[in-house]
Amino acid sequence: MLQQHLEQYGVVDDGRLFRSLDGGDVAESTLARVWDKARKAALSAEEYRSPLARRPYDLRHACVSTWLAGGGISAQVAMWAGHSVAVLHEVYAKVLAGLEEESLGKIARILGLPADDEDQDEDDLDSA
């Protein structure tokens, strides 16, 4: 659909994909109305009533969160998102904090240390 839109309408000189009828910026009220219709069409009634993708920006936030949760390196993710690393860490601190155990496991593997669950299994065997 995007490719068809590009072929039919192209982009304006500054690279914007969507524009008003006179070639200017699309009004916020128009964006909000179209986004609401898209959410209603794409989501179940329960999802629509939830905060899921309430604003287009929510998709960007979800994308950056997914990059981080997937193990993306902070500096690279910050560059992709157009943030500084400091801003990335401030805005996405909850995502980063949730990755602490995984990060510790990666460090242990690099150092050749047993994983925590292996330590637990050995402790269980020793106590048996």
Side-chain angles (χ1 to χ4, degrees):
M1 289 173 58
L2 178 59
Q3 189 60 43
Q4 182 181 355
H5 181 90
L6 286 170
E7 289 170 8
Q8 186 172 356
Y9 300 104
V11 296
V12 294
D13 292 340
D14 65 5
R16 283 179 294 124
L17 180 61
F18 300 107
R19 57 195 172 269
S20 65
L21 292 175
D22 65 1
D25 291 341
V26 178
E28 286 289 326
S29 60
T30 301
L31 291 173
R33 190 173 59 255
V34 170
W35 186 254
D36 186 65
K37 287 173 71 174
R39 283 185 76 244
K40 193 172 275 189
L43 303 175
S44 70
E46 183 178 345
E47 290 169 332
Y48 176 76
R49 288 189 302 272
S50 79
L52 179 64
R54 177 92 15 107
R55 308 162 297 166
Y57 181 81
D58 295 334
L59 298 179
R60 182 179 191 280
H61 189 78
C63 180
V64 174
S65 296
T66 299
W67 288 339
L68 290 170
I73 299 166
S74 291
Q76 182 66 63
V77 172
M79 186 181 81
W80 289 339
H83 289 309
S84 68
V85 174
V87 167
L88 182 88
H89 286 181
E90 183 180 324
V91 173
Y92 297 92
K94 288 181 182 178
V95 175
L96 294 167
L99 301 175
E100 184 176 0
E101 288 300 316
E102 184 177 336
S103 296
L104 291 172
K106 286 179 181 179
I107 293 167
R109 284 191 297 282
I110 288 170
L111 295 175
L113 301 173
D116 283 343
D117 57 332
E118 291 175 17
D119 288 340
Q120 184 63 40
D121 292 342
E122 290 175 15
D123 291 343
D124 290 345
L125 290 174
D126 291 340
S127 64

